[in-house]
Amino acid sequence: MVIIEDNILKVKKRISLICSKINKDPDSITVVAVSKARSVEQIKETIEAGITDIGENRVQEAVIKYKSLTLSAESGSAYGGNTQHLTPIKWHMVGHLQTNKVKDAVKIFDLIHSVDSLRLAEELNRQAARIDKIQDILIEVKTSQETAKFGLKPEEAIEVIKEMANFKNINIKGLMTIAPLTVNPGETRPFFRMLRELRDKIKDTLPITHYPLPILSMGMTDDFEVAIEEGSNIVRLGRVIFD
Ligand SMILES: *Cc1c(COP(=O)(O)O)cnc(C)c1O
């Protein structure tokens, strides 16, 4: 309990500090606690410490945790047993999504960060329509050729996003990237900058009313401060919260 709570306090301090440096409101940064391979108990501790955005990278694991947390919330035992102050959890899919998992994914996720093909968007649109949902998504962009396995190439992104405009049951909220692993967090800056510039270019190129793309999901444990400096407003944090 103490460790996760302490870690979150420290993370919030670091975010406040970097935000004051660049004159940004720290409340404009959403921390997603990436809880893959962590327990439901650990997620509860995270929620009690004030982080209610939870990220997972596998649909099946997320469904199990989702059910478990929903059940304990209904019986009043989650969040200290106080049903009066139930905090709604927002679920984020941050890992690669296979088309055969989409049907389950649209049932639980508030935001899917990892849409990297027209085919996947089409299936998301279809399954979201079946349950009468508008699914919020981000487009994953491969900003570094060497390391990232998934994501659209930056030069493909505009065309693909344009095509996705036909899908009425998905809502493209922004872009996501995973920077290459480096020893020095400063080295990830160009990749984050590339994502921000791409977002701005898409806004300039496509009809703006359709594509305000307010979200940039970038920055993890080793590089979230650099990412925030480059315009990130969702950081996805695992180790710095749970270890
Ligand atoms: C695991 C994971 C994270 C969190 O990584 P840390 O380095 O532990 O903060 C963020 N984004 C994605 C896509 C992940 O898979």
Side-chain angles (χ1 to χ4, degrees), residues 34 36 94 178 220-221 236-239:
V34 180
K36 61 180 180 219
V94 300
I178 301 173
M220 301 171 27
T221 288
R236 309 178 308 267
L237 304 180
R239 288 165 296 144

Side-chain angles (χ1 to χ4, degrees), residues 200-214:
D200 295 345
K201 187 172 155 203
I202 296 170
K203 274 171 66 169
D204 289 345
T205 313
L206 300 177
I208 241 169
T209 44
H210 290 109
Y211 304 99
L213 302 180

Side-chain angles (χ1 to χ4, degrees), residues 4 25 29-30 54-55 61-62 73-74 88 106 112 116 126 135 139 157 166-167 189 195 199 204-205 216 229 239 243:
I4 289 178
D25 178 3
I29 313 290
T30 299
I54 301 299
E61 186 180 334
E74 276 166 5
V106 295
I112 295 174
D116 61 355
R126 201 169 75 85
Q135 177 67 58
I139 305 302
N166 300 320
F167 302 146
R189 189 180 299 278
L195 195 73
R199 189 269 309 272
D204 289 345
T205 313
L216 289 176
E229 282 182 333
R239 288 165 296 144
D243 289 348

Side-chain angles (χ1 to χ4, degrees), residues 90-230:
K90 283 185 88 177
W91 291 86
H92 297 253
M93 173 59 179
V94 300
H96 182 64
L97 180 58
Q98 292 167 297
T99 37
N100 64 351
K101 302 281 165 39
V102 166
K103 191 178 173 191
D104 288 331
V106 295
K107 288 182 194 153
I108 64 167
F109 288 111
D110 296 285
L111 182 63
I112 295 174
H113 292 228
S114 47
V115 179
D116 61 355
S117 72
L118 201 56
R119 203 169 77 93
L120 179 58
E122 193 171 7
E123 181 62 6
L124 280 162
N125 183 60
R126 201 169 75 85
Q127 297 294 350
R130 286 181 53 171
I131 58 168
D132 216 5
K133 178 184 186 185
I134 309 286
Q135 177 67 58
D136 286 342
I137 64 164
L138 305 177
I139 305 302
E140 180 170 358
V141 178
K142 198 193 307 197
T143 48
S144 68
Q145 299 309 325
E146 328 82 65
T147 42
K149 273 181 284 184
F150 302 109
L152 287 168
K153 294 191 188 116
E155 61 272 21
E156 304 173 318
I158 291 191
E159 269 318 301
V160 176
I161 289 175
K162 215 158 124 188
E163 296 281 326
M164 288 178 189
N166 300 320
F167 302 146
K168 302 300 175 212
N169 286 78
I170 56 172
N171 187 11
I172 307 172
K173 304 279 279 183
L175 306 180
M176 178 273 232
T177 199
I178 301 173
L181 286 172
T182 59
V183 210
N184 175 1
E187 287 169 20
T188 54
R189 189 180 299 278
F191 306 101
F192 297 142
R193 186 167 295 170
M194 188 191 300
L195 195 73
R196 169 167 48 85
E197 288 173 353
L198 179 65
R199 189 269 309 272
D200 295 345
K201 187 172 155 203
I202 296 170
K203 274 171 66 169
D204 289 345
T205 313
L206 300 177
I208 241 169
T209 44
H210 290 109
Y211 304 99
L213 302 180
I215 296 178
L216 289 176
S217 166
M218 52 189 199
M220 301 171 27
T221 288
D222 292 325
D223 51 24
F224 69 92
E225 283 142 322
V226 179
I228 290 171
E229 282 182 333
E230 292 300 327

